């Protein structure tokens, strides 16, 4: 549930991501939908391993650069 997760992050409670707690604000720039939480978590861990350049290419929708990286 994306709305619930965003509210948790914005509230900066114990369920918030550690990274987010140190910033006053953040902006959602990319999201994907999955049918199960397990699938979503698997994808999240995959993306966390990617380089910043590869993540930026995904956000921009640059499929040519994504294939190179």
């Amino acid at each position: 549930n994306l709305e619930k997760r965003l509210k948790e992050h914005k509230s900066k409670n114990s369920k918030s991501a550690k990274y987010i707690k140190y910033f006053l604000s953040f902006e959602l720039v990319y999201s994907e939908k999955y049918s199960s939480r397990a699938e979503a978590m698997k994808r999240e861990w995959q993306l966390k391993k990617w380089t910043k350049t590869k993540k930026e290419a995904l956000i921009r929708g640059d499929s040519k650069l994504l294939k190179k990286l």
Side-chain angles (χ1 to χ4, degrees), residues 9-45:
H9 287 310
K10 287 180 181 180
S11 70
K12 299 185 183 200
N13 63 22
S14 62
K15 291 187 176 187
S16 298
K18 290 178 187 175
Y19 179 81
I20 296 296
K21 289 181 184 181
Y22 298 104
F23 297 94
L24 297 175
S25 65
F26 65 92
E27 178 183 359
L28 179 67
V29 294
Y30 182 81
S31 69
E32 297 177 0
K33 290 189 176 194
Y34 290 93
S35 57
S36 72
R37 184 173 184 210
E39 288 179 42
M41 291 177 71
K42 184 177 178 181
R43 177 65 167 160
E44 186 175 346
W45 280 106

Side-chain angles (χ1 to χ4, degrees), residues 40-53:
M41 291 177 71
K42 184 177 178 181
R43 177 65 167 160
E44 186 175 346
W45 280 106
Q46 179 187 33
L47 295 176
K48 284 183 179 186
K49 295 177 192 174
W50 285 12
T51 63
K52 181 178 179 178
T53 304

